[in-house]
Amino acid sequence: MKLGIVGLPNVGKSTLFNSLTKAGAESANYPFCTIDPNVGIVPVPDERLGLLGDFYHSRKVTPAVVEFVDIAGLVKGASKGEGLGNQFLANIREVDAIVHVVRCFEDSNVIHVDGNIDPLRDIETINLELIFSDLEILERRISKVGKSARMDKNAGKELEFLNKVKAHLENGQMAITLVPENEDEEGFMGSYNLLTAKPVIYAANVAEADLADDGASSKYVQAVRKYAAENNSEVFVICAQIEEEIAELDEDEKKMFLEDLGLTESGLEKLIRASYHILGLMSFLTSGEDETRAWTIRIGTKAPQAAGKIHTDFERGFIKAEVVNYKDLLENGSYAGAREKGLVRIEGKDYVVQDGDVILFRFNI
C-alpha cells in the first residue's frame, strides 16, 4: 500500500510525515527504510502478529508495510509550474490513495499562506490543482481517440465517456464521484490513472485541546467531515505536534502517554485503519516457528489468489487451505487443540479469505 501525503504549506504535512515514519519504525522494531528524502516504509501496527509470534516462538515476525510519500511543492498554481510544479504530480500518480492534511487549528505563530484558517478553501485549492492536471490528460486523450472515433466503435464509446468525465471535472467535481455506468466505462476510467479518481483520506490536523473528543467540538473538523461524506472520502483527526512527541517514546511510554490524553490509538493507527477501509483491504496471517507474517489482500479475495501473494507457485499449484481464526488458535493453546474442536477448516478454491485467518496452504506443482 502506497499513500501520498499532500497539503498546503504550514498545515503540518511534513511534521506528520516525519512523525509517522519515525514512530512506525521504532514501535514495531522494523528496519525503517528511506528510499529517498521524502519516502518512508512503515510497518502496519498489528497486535495479532506479536501474539502469534509468541505462540509459535517464531524466529521472525514480519508485519505488512505501508509506503508513505511526502509530496512536496503543492501550492496554488502547481499544475502550471508554481512551487515545484509538475514534479509532485508524477509522484502522486503512483500512489494508491491520497492523504490530504488539512489545517484545523488556530496558531498565531504559524502563518497560513492565505492569511486565515479555512479548511474547505484549502481542500478546494489542492483539488483544483489535481483537476487541472487531470484535464490536461483527458484533453490529450480526447485528441488521440477523436481521430479514430468515426471508424472505430469502441473509440467512439471512449470518446463519449472522456467528454463526460471532462464535463464532470470542469464542474469542479472529483472523478471519484463519477460512477461508471458499465464495465466499458470502468475499464476506461481505470486506464487513465486520474489523480482525482484516487481515494482520499483527510487528516484533520487539530490542536491538542481538540484531540480528546476527536474534533467533535471543532467547527473546522465538522466542515471537513461534511465535505468528506459528500465526496466518498474518509476523515481521521490527528494532532501532528502530539504525534511528533509520541514518535520519541517507546511502546510502554507511548501507551501511558495516549491514556493520559484519553486516546486509545495513535495517529498512525487511525491512518492505517482509514486506509485499509477506503481501499477495501484486510490481512490474513501465516505463522510457524520460522516466521509469523501478515499479508495484505483485497476484501473478497479467494484462497488461491491469497496464496499467490506468498508465491505464484502457491496459486498455480493450489490444492487446499487449512484455515483457523487466530483467536480460536490462541484460545485453544495449540493447532492440534483447535483442530480437535473442529475449528480448523479445510477450504477449497472458492473460499473467500477472512480478516484474521491463519492459513496453511497445500499446493503441488
Side-chain angles (χ1 to χ4, degrees):
M1 181 164 60
K2 192 171 185 179
L3 303 176
I5 302 180
V6 303
L8 291 172
N10 295 338
V11 299
K13 177 176 67 72
S14 292
T15 301
L16 177 60
F17 171 79
N18 292 334
S19 60
L20 287 180
T21 51
K22 187 174 182 182
E26 290 183 348
S27 66
N29 193 29
Y30 187 84
F32 172 60
C33 174
T34 302
I35 299 169
D36 61 46
N38 69 332
V39 179
I41 292 180
V42 178
V44 173
D46 190 339
E47 65 175 4
R48 300 173 301 188
L49 289 175
L51 295 171
L52 285 169
D54 291 342
F55 182 82
Y56 277 106
H57 305 291
S58 303
R59 286 187 283 273
K60 185 179 179 184
V61 175
T62 306
V65 296
V66 177
E67 184 175 333
F68 286 108
V69 184
D70 184 17
I71 311 238
L74 190 43
V75 296
K76 191 171 185 178
S79 62
K80 302 299 181 186
E82 295 295 327
L84 293 183
N86 290 327
Q87 181 179 329
F88 85 90
L89 297 173
N91 290 336
I92 204 171
R93 287 202 187 278
E94 300 170 5
V95 304
D96 298 307
I98 295 169
V99 180
H100 185 160
V101 183
V102 186
R103 180 170 168 177
C104 295
F105 66 89
E106 301 274 3
D107 187 340
S108 58
N109 295 316
V110 183
I111 299 169
H112 191 287
V113 289
D114 287 323
N116 67 314
I117 310 304
D118 184 345
L120 295 188
R121 177 202 57 213
D122 294 354
I123 288 171
E124 184 179 277
T125 296
I126 285 186
N127 284 353
L128 281 174
E129 296 307 316
L130 303 183
I131 286 172
F132 291 149
S133 178
D134 280 351
L135 283 171
E136 286 185 20
I137 284 181
L138 290 174
E139 283 164 4
R140 287 199 296 270
R141 184 68 185 168
I142 286 169
S143 176
K144 183 178 179 181
V145 173
K147 294 174 182 177
S148 55
R150 291 181 183 177
M151 306 294 292
D152 185 330
K153 187 178 179 181
N154 195 55
K157 283 183 184 178
E158 183 179 359
L159 183 61
E160 185 180 342
F161 180 66
L162 281 163
N163 284 314
K164 181 162 72 170
V165 179
K166 183 171 179 281
H168 188 76
L169 295 185
E170 287 175 338
N171 198 35
Q173 302 296 308
M174 307 291 273
I176 198 169
T177 63
L178 177 64
V179 180
E181 295 179 11
N182 51 54
E183 287 186 8
D184 285 340
E185 290 191 352
E186 280 183 19
F188 293 146
M189 182 69 90
S191 69
Y192 304 145
N193 194 23
L194 298 178
L195 299 176
T196 59
K198 294 183 183 294
V200 179
I201 303 161
Y202 291 100
N205 188 14
V206 301
E208 182 180 338
D210 292 321
L211 201 55
D213 69 354
D214 203 34
S217 57
S218 167
K219 64 181 181 180
Y220 300 132
V221 173
Q222 294 312 310
V224 174
R225 283 192 168 126
K226 183 174 183 294
Y227 179 88
E230 293 168 352
N231 289 274
N232 304 332
S233 301
E234 294 270 332
V235 179
F236 75 103
V237 175
I238 196 167
C239 176
Q241 277 190 321
I242 292 296
E243 290 302 313
E244 201 168 29
E245 293 179 42
I246 290 174
E248 302 296 331
L249 306 176
D250 63 29
E251 273 302 304
D252 291 337
E253 290 174 328
K254 184 186 297 183
K255 190 175 180 181
M256 290 174 61
F257 187 76
L258 289 171
E259 285 175 357
D260 288 344
L261 291 171
L263 303 175
T264 57
E265 57 184 352
S266 68
L268 175 61
E269 290 166 320
K270 285 183 182 179
L271 174 52
I272 298 286
R273 185 159 44 81
S275 304
Y276 269 62
H277 183 257
I278 203 167
L279 291 170
L281 301 175
M282 52 168 256
S283 294
F284 75 90
L285 311 159
T286 54
S287 194
E289 289 184 9
D290 287 338
E291 182 181 32
T292 290
R293 183 164 181 165
W295 304 88
T296 303
I297 57 172
R298 292 199 175 276
I299 293 171
T301 299
K302 292 186 177 181
Q305 288 69 52
K309 289 289 288 186
I310 300 173
H311 198 287
T312 53
D313 285 349
F314 284 28
E315 180 175 0
R316 189 157 52 94
F318 179 88
I319 299 173
K320 62 182 179 181
E322 293 183 19
V323 184
V324 58
N325 180 272
Y326 85 98
K327 285 184 179 177
D328 291 336
L329 181 58
L330 296 173
E331 287 170 3
N332 284 279
S334 69
Y335 192 82
R339 176 181 277 164
E340 283 176 15
K341 291 189 177 179
L343 299 172
V344 178
R345 309 182 311 278
I346 304 300
E347 302 288 359
K349 292 182 177 181
D350 291 330
Y351 175 67
V352 177
V353 176
Q354 302 299 306
D355 188 55
D357 279 349
V358 180
I359 305 180
L360 175 63
F361 292 106
R362 302 293 186 186
F363 70 103
N364 183 39
I365 54 171

